[in-house]
Amino acid sequence: MKLSDVLKNIPITALRTVADTEITSVCYDSRQVTPGALFVAVEGYTNDGHEFIPSAVASGAAAVLCSKRPSGPCPYILTENTRLALATASANFYGRPADKLTLIGVTGTNGKTTVTTLIKQMLEHSTGKKCGLIGTVGNMIGELRLHSERTTPESADLQALLAQMVAEGCSYAVMEVSSHSLVLDRVAGLRFEVGVFTNITQDHLDFHGTMEAYLEAKCRLVNLSSKTVLNADDPRQSKVLERCGCGALTYGAKNIKADLRADNIRLGSDRVYFEANYGAERVPMTLGIPGEFSVYNALAAVGCCLALGIDITDVSVALGVCKGVKGRAEVIPTGKKFTVIADYAHTPDALENILKTVKGYAKGRTIAVFGCGGDRDKTKRPIMGRVAGDIADAVFVTSDNPRTEDPGAIIADIVSGMSGASAQVTVIPDRIEAIEAAMRSAGEGDVVVLAGKGHEDYQIIGTEKRHMDEREIVAQILENWVK
């Protein structure tokens, strides 16, 4: 593709290159540069891409797109915002694949992974068309599973993935849209047919600084969406609703003004039942994932399908055959008289939801094993300690991904919120030892909740990512079981 075509709609302040230069790829990582590439120098939080311009040129970059004039001789294009330019250049290079797909974006603190997965399954079941999925657990093109590094890929990787979906015959693409991706222009230039908001509670304050800034970041999805679906029971959603000039489809279980309401809710140990009240229609719904939060996840997915014009009866049938998501209220087989559940809960709200759900159906005690991530929001640690101490019967406080922080200091932050807790609290920094101790303490009818890791099969200690899959850990403990 000609450089002039790749640069279309990018504001340029200076240029020293040839417009008809042939471009073979668009890269933001100098290590991925091959001859003919356009290297985009992005200023990150730890590295500045401008420092790697010499390396990119040495690897054969045909031109450099940057916001600071290169110090050495090379073909370059100057623009003010290289993050935004990367999104535009990538979309141009891949033929603007998003324009050939019906895009659905899901944002919120909790529930994004489950809601996107439900929407994908429901769309494929009710329309018979292939759907792509982009999110935390992994990316999918129909049934093909692909690895993912982050919730929402960098714009160049995202556009490449969307192009692959188009090539593979997808009609829809549903994606998790993180607050980071909205601020960092990873989804710039995309137009979502439906933007879905789950809930907004405390998270990522290490990045955003304040809840107001976090909420403002989430609200950006409204400006990128033709239709909006909102949780009417979440008090912070009123701020989002203010942005919806053409209104929104609201859902809830408590707000009687919600457009889509769940009535006659019944919570089972392995599923939820409710009656969807939508306009003049009353349709029974079932989802095979337990917990009140599953009602809200189901409503969000149902609301999205309704916004896309799918009949509510077809939606009900599709929801009924949906399967759960790895690491979300996932039962790990033990063959014992107690149950072990893995859940990704890593925020106060998510931890409260999973523990209350388990507490509601456990015949015995609710035992929690959890920690908090290092180099992340410290203010939520004592809050999560208080939540676990107030709801669970026993808590094993341990490590999550300590990263470059001292695990003991992270645990101390958690325990500081557990003063007066009703639960029996045990501190075991080694996560594997904590899981084994929790399992050995479990009796008949007890439920052990392994919170925080969910689908992850690694633990980050320092800067090293070490393999650690809790399913394998539980199996190994059981293999060596002596009790």
Side-chain angles (χ1 to χ4, degrees):
M1 178 179 284
K2 301 298 182 185
L3 177 61
S4 57
D5 294 325
V6 178
L7 298 177
K8 187 176 180 181
N9 296 323
I10 296 176
I12 296 171
T13 57
L15 182 146
R16 196 181 79 175
T17 186
V18 179
D20 62 356
T21 298
E22 194 67 28
I23 298 299
T24 58
S25 64
V26 176
C27 299
Y28 60 91
D29 186 335
S30 62
R31 295 167 296 184
Q32 297 176 353
V33 170
T34 55
L38 172 65
F39 175 66
V40 185
V42 176
E43 293 185 63
Y45 285 86
T46 56
N47 296 306
D48 184 348
H50 292 81
E51 298 174 4
F52 300 95
I53 290 176
S55 175
V57 173
S59 295
V64 173
L65 184 57
C66 47
S67 59
K68 294 180 283 191
R69 198 178 300 271
S71 57
C74 69
Y76 66 84
I77 307 98
L78 281 183
T79 188
E80 290 186 1
N81 186 336
T82 52
R83 282 194 175 277
L84 189 57
L86 175 64
T88 305
S90 300
N92 291 337
F93 181 79
Y94 288 105
R96 306 197 66 82
D99 295 345
K100 302 163 189 173
L101 295 162
T102 298
L103 283 185
I104 298 104
V106 179
T107 197
T109 307
N110 302 313
K112 294 188 297 296
T113 299
T114 298
V115 172
T116 52
T117 302
L118 293 178
I119 292 171
K120 178 185 186 296
Q121 294 178 32
M122 292 165 71
L123 287 175
E124 291 183 331
H125 187 277
S126 58
T127 69
K129 296 179 181 179
K130 186 182 287 189
C131 181
L133 174 72
I134 300 171
T136 307
V137 174
N139 303 322
M140 295 183 70
I141 300 177
E143 295 304 311
L144 175 65
R145 293 184 178 274
L146 305 170
H147 177 69
S148 66
E149 286 293 335
R150 48 168 63 104
T151 298
T152 311
E154 187 55 80
S155 58
D157 304 319
L158 175 58
Q159 293 292 341
L161 183 56
L162 293 174
Q164 188 178 354
M165 290 178 180
V166 171
E168 295 291 334
C170 288
S171 298
Y172 297 94
V174 55
M175 61 184 291
E176 297 182 46
V177 183
S178 68
S179 56
H180 293 70
S181 72
L182 288 160
V183 170
L184 299 176
D185 290 322
R186 292 178 193 159
V187 294
L190 297 184
R191 189 66 191 172
F192 296 94
E193 182 63 23
V194 182
V196 180
F197 290 76
T198 58
N199 70 339
I200 301 174
T201 59
Q202 181 174 333
D203 199 14
H204 302 307
L205 297 194
D206 55 297
F207 178 80
H208 297 287
T210 65
M211 277 300 299
E212 289 72 23
Y214 177 49
L215 177 57
E216 178 64 27
K218 292 292 188 186
C219 285
R220 294 188 184 195
L221 182 60
V222 171
N223 301 327
L224 303 176
S225 304
S226 299
K227 301 171 186 174
T228 308
V229 175
L230 294 176
N231 179 354
D233 289 349
D234 184 345
R236 287 194 172 97
Q237 298 280 19
S238 60
K239 294 292 184 182
V240 184
L241 190 58
E242 291 173 3
R243 301 291 192 92
C244 302
C246 58
L249 189 158
T250 59
Y251 65 88
K254 299 170 184 175
N255 191 326
I256 60 173
K257 295 182 179 180
D259 300 311
L260 171 65
R261 193 173 69 248
D263 293 332
N264 303 319
I265 297 171
R266 287 182 289 151
L267 305 178
S269 60
D270 63 346
R271 64 192 59 239
V272 294
Y273 309 83
F274 63 93
E275 186 178 72
N277 185 333
Y278 181 64
E281 300 185 86
R282 307 289 183 274
V283 180
M285 300 273 177
T286 302
L287 175 61
I289 307 174
E292 185 180 30
F293 59 89
S294 290
V295 175
Y296 284 94
N297 289 339
L299 286 170
V302 169
C304 175
C305 291
L306 293 174
L308 289 170
I310 300 173
D311 183 79
I312 192 169
T313 302
D314 294 334
V315 170
S316 174
V317 173
L319 182 67
V321 298
C322 284
K323 299 176 182 178
V325 182
K326 181 180 180 181
R328 272 56 176 184
E330 177 188 357
V331 176
I332 301 177
T334 64
K336 298 292 183 179
K337 292 183 179 180
F338 59 84
T339 302
V340 176
I341 287 178
D343 193 85
Y344 190 51
H346 61 282
T347 66
D349 183 59
L351 185 62
E352 180 178 359
N353 283 338
I354 188 63
L355 292 180
K356 281 187 173 180
T357 293
V358 169
K359 191 84 169 178
Y361 69 76
K363 295 180 181 178
R365 296 179 304 154
T366 298
I367 303 170
V369 180
F370 86 102
C372 289
D375 302 331
R376 298 293 187 268
D377 179 13
K378 295 183 179 182
T379 64
K380 70 180 181 181
R381 295 171 185 172
I383 301 174
M384 292 178 68
R386 185 174 66 250
V387 166
D390 288 347
I391 300 174
D393 299 294
V395 180
F396 290 80
V397 183
T398 186
S399 293
D400 190 281
N401 292 318
R403 298 184 177 87
T404 63
E405 279 196 71
D406 173 15
I410 298 173
I411 289 172
D413 287 341
I414 296 170
V415 173
S416 70
M418 305 182 81
S419 177
S422 58
Q424 177 184 353
V425 179
T426 305
V427 172
I428 303 178
D430 185 284
R431 193 172 181 95
I432 295 176
E433 292 179 6
I435 292 172
E436 180 166 9
M439 289 174 62
R440 290 191 178 280
S441 74
E444 184 173 349
D446 291 351
V447 179
V448 179
V449 180
L450 310 180
K453 300 293 291 173
H455 63 282
E456 293 180 351
D457 59 2
Y458 59 83
Q459 185 177 40
I460 304 173
I461 298 177
T463 57
E464 181 185 356
K465 182 182 284 189
R466 304 177 184 178
H467 179 75
M468 192 185 78
D469 189 320
E470 293 186 333
R471 295 148 202 79
E472 296 174 6
I473 291 170
V474 170
Q476 188 61 52
I477 292 170
L478 292 170
E479 186 177 326
N480 300 328
W481 194 266
V482 177
K483 190 172 182 179

